[in-house]
Each structure stands twice: as C-alpha cells, then as structure tokens.
Amino acid sequence: MHYDAIVIGGSYAGLAAATQLARARRRVLVVDAGQRRNRFATHSHGFLTQDGTPAADIAAQGRAQLMVYPTVEWREGKVTAAGRAGQGFRIEVDGVESEAIEARRLVLATGVIDHLPEVPGLAERWGRHVFHCPYCHGYELNQGRLGALAVSPLSMHVALMLPDWGQATLFLNGAFEPDTEQLAQLQARGVELERGLIDRIEGAMDIVMRDGRVITQDGLFTLSRVEVASPVAAQLGCEFEDGPLGRTIKTDAMKATTVPGVYACGDAARQGGSLPLAVGDGTMAGAATHQSLIFAAH
Ligand code: FAD
Ligand code: MG
C-alpha cells in the first residue's frame, strides 16, 4: 500500500485528522476539492484563539502547518469513487483510478452540502445576511431585527433562541401552523409572528411579502437540509443515521464508521457542526486511525 491513510476532504476536520497521522510519521495523502461549507461567509466565530478570523485563513494556516511534515502529500481534486483493494482501499480522483492511490485506511472528512429553502434572493445572501447558526453569526447582528424563516416545526427551536440575539420574528411562510402550546412559547419569549407568504428578498434584507408589504430585517436564520458532500461513504457501505438536520455518516466515539478501516469526522459525521467540533472530531479520527494501523489485524 502506498499510503497508510488517505484523508478525503482537506478542510478543518480533514486537516486535524491528517495532522495527527503526520505527527505519528505516517504516510498520508490528503485529497481536497476546495469547497469548504463556510466559503460563503467572510469571517468565522466561536473557535478559540481564532474568533473573528477569516474562515479561509484558518484553513490555509492549518494546511501550511500540516505540509511542514515530510510524510504528507496533498492533491487537489475530487474523489469520485472509493472501494476495497486487497486489505486496504483504492480511490479514484477526478475519474482516474490508479494503484498509486491506495491506502490501508480512509478518513472521510467531506463535510456536507446545504440545501436551502427556495425563497428567491435567499441563496445569494447565504453567509452574509442569511445564516443557520446564531452562535456563529448572531452576536454581530448587534441586537437588531432578526427573522427566523420557518421550514418545518423544527424552526420553533431557532425562533425561541433568537430573542437572546435581537428582536425576533418568526416568518411562518406556510411551513407549519404553531399549536396552542407553541403559540404560548413564542409569546413568552417575545417572538413576533408573521403569517404571510414571502415573495422574495431584496436589498440587504428587505423581505417582500406576497401582499406587497416589505419587512426589513438585519439578519435571517433558517434551517438548511444537509447532505453528506460525497457518495464515497455510501459506496464503501458505511451506515448512515437520520437526524433532524439530515442524514450523516454513523460513527462511534472514536469516529470509526461501521466499515472497518474507514473513519469519518466533521460535519459529514455529526448533526450540527462547527469549526471547533470538526477539529475535535478530526483529531479523534486521526489518532484512532493511527492506532488502528498498530492494533487492528490488517
Ligand atoms: P468542510 O469545511 O465543509 O470541508 C469539507 C472539505 O471536503 C471541502 O474542502 C470539500 O471540497 C472537500 N470534499 C468534499 N467532497 C470531496 C471529495 N469527494 N473529494 C475531495 N474533497 C472533497 N462554524 C463555526 O465554527 N463558526 C462560524 O462562524 C461558522 N460560520 C458558518 C457560516 C456558514 C455560511 C456556514 C454554511 C457554515 C458555518 N460554520 C461555522 C460551520 C462550518 O463551516 C462547518 O462546521 C465546518 O466547515 C465543517 O468542517 P469540515 O472539515 O467537516 O467540512
Ligand atoms: Mg475537513
């Protein structure tokens, strides 16, 4: 086998996993397609020592520090397939399969894709005025007017949290009808309710209603449906698990998937991710992958 491990995805989770393997002097290949989930946002918040740092800078610094280790190789590209090869694995990069890209272990750190609600003007504002995580972006909205765009009854959760960050309005947009108990909860938290249908978003955050009213907000929070960014885990036969935000790769506390020799970390393998959690999971996956090279049968 050419490599001890191939890490698929070279963002926060993958970088953290590869760093542990590199520090154990193992031969690691990182393959990365360069599509970080947070590429739509300029700054990242909540990561100790990096609060407010541009998200791209954190990834670039992680990569620069990783590449100092002599046993690490980096390849830009997309892993298009993965499967068994002898007692290890072989991957295909950008449609090309080769014996040169085989490894004893795989670490899946591909992140997720966000499927956004289909409101005209919303996608263009993702990461700038439209967000999913108030911990990441709520504080900077300076206690302004904050909308929660409902996609299902799950949107109650963010709507009830928002008053800690600003003056909150729940835009039902026909997604669900709160029951008596939910109405009481919204009232107790001081969340306003907007029942009209949204036509589009204009300007910075002018919500144009179907009835012609324009409701200006400082920020809008919504839930995206997440999908693991690559079919590779499914091809390998990894089990998935369904959660409120979408389907993610099932892992144990050591970040092992249900397929021996395959580990997964970051947003692809948890509900509701963040940079610090991706780095934590990646660190665990990297150490567990390394130890399996020593203690597992193959
Ligand atoms: P990602 O960062 O998504 O990286 C996955 C990498 O794998 C990408 O480079 C991708 O191209 C690559 N990849 C995928 N498939 C393949 C393949 N087949 N072959 C090769 N490479 C592949 N979190 C915070 O902590 N603070 C914030 O302020 C914050 N702001 C956010 C703002 C927005 C708009 C969004 C959407 C998210 C934000 N997050 C924030 C969450 C954060 O982006 C994720 O939790 C984090 O990026 C997860 O890291 P990851 O390494 O698991 O995946
Ligand atoms: Mg990663």
Side-chain angles (χ1 to χ4, degrees):
M1 290 281 150
H2 204 74
Y3 298 101
D4 291 312
I6 296 173
V7 178
I8 304 177
S11 178
Y12 314 104
L15 286 166
T19 298
Q20 298 304 314
L21 286 154
R23 293 187 49 71
R25 301 185 188 275
R26 292 292 183 155
R27 293 162 303 167
V28 191
L29 173 67
V30 180
V31 186
D32 184 48
Q35 299 281 295
R36 276 179 295 103
R37 185 183 181 192
N38 60 359
R39 64 191 181 279
F40 305 97
T42 51
H43 294 77
S44 168
H45 290 95
F47 187 6
L48 208 64
T49 76
Q50 301 294 329
D51 194 29
T53 304
D57 291 2
I58 301 173
Q61 197 183 349
R63 178 173 167 178
Q65 292 186 348
L66 172 68
M67 295 315 290
V68 168
Y69 293 90
T71 56
V72 183
E73 287 174 43
W74 189 280
R75 191 157 164 169
E76 271 164 34
K78 188 172 191 165
V79 176
T80 41
R84 284 248 162 233
Q87 288 177 349
F89 305 92
R90 183 183 297 174
I91 62 166
E92 185 187 278
V93 180
D94 294 325
V96 180
E97 193 188 328
S98 127
E99 276 176 32
I101 36 182
E102 289 182 1
R104 294 171 64 194
R105 302 286 181 270
L106 290 182
V107 180
L108 311 181
T110 60
V112 294
I113 294 167
D114 289 294
H115 295 284
L116 301 172
E118 285 179 17
V119 171
L122 183 142
E124 298 92 301
R125 289 163 182 78
W126 181 238
R128 292 184 297 121
H129 300 285
V130 182
F131 310 100
H132 69 299
C133 169
Y135 297 102
C136 299
H137 302 285
Y139 190 88
E140 282 65 37
L141 293 168
N142 297 317
Q143 299 180 303
R145 294 153 298 180
L146 309 184
L149 171 62
V151 295
S152 75
L154 278 179
S155 299
M156 280 295 293
H157 188 251
V158 72
L160 292 174
M161 291 204 296
L162 278 189
D164 278 17
W165 285 280
Q167 187 189 319
T169 303
L170 173 60
F171 290 81
L172 288 177
N173 200 31
F176 76 105
E177 179 55 38
D179 61 22
T180 318
E181 191 188 340
Q182 289 170 324
L183 288 172
Q185 289 170 333
L186 292 166
Q187 200 182 14
R189 288 284 288 159
V191 180
E192 281 178 39
L193 202 56
E194 173 53 57
R195 293 177 182 281
L197 296 177
I198 297 173
D199 186 66
R200 62 189 185 277
I201 304 173
E202 289 182 346
M205 185 43 73
D206 297 332
I207 302 182
V208 183
M209 308 301 290
R210 293 252 176 101
D211 61 16
R213 285 176 300 140
V214 178
I215 306 174
T216 300
Q217 300 284 285
D218 295 299
L220 188 68
F221 289 82
T222 194
L223 277 180
S224 62
R225 183 178 60 77
V226 302
E227 182 194 359
V228 173
S230 157
V232 163
Q235 285 169 7
L236 290 163
C238 296
E239 272 178 43
F240 287 76
E241 55 194 358
D242 288 313
L245 305 175
R247 176 169 287 194
T248 48
I249 304 167
K250 184 176 178 183
T251 52
D252 67 12
M254 302 288 282
K255 304 313 288 178
T257 71
T258 54
V259 174
V262 181
Y263 293 76
C265 51
D267 284 7
R270 69 155 50 245
Q271 292 283 314
S274 69
L275 270 69
L277 293 171
V279 168
D281 288 348
T283 304
M284 177 58 86
T289 300
H290 170 244
Q291 290 175 33
S292 82
L293 288 164
I294 299 167
F295 299 112
H298 299 297

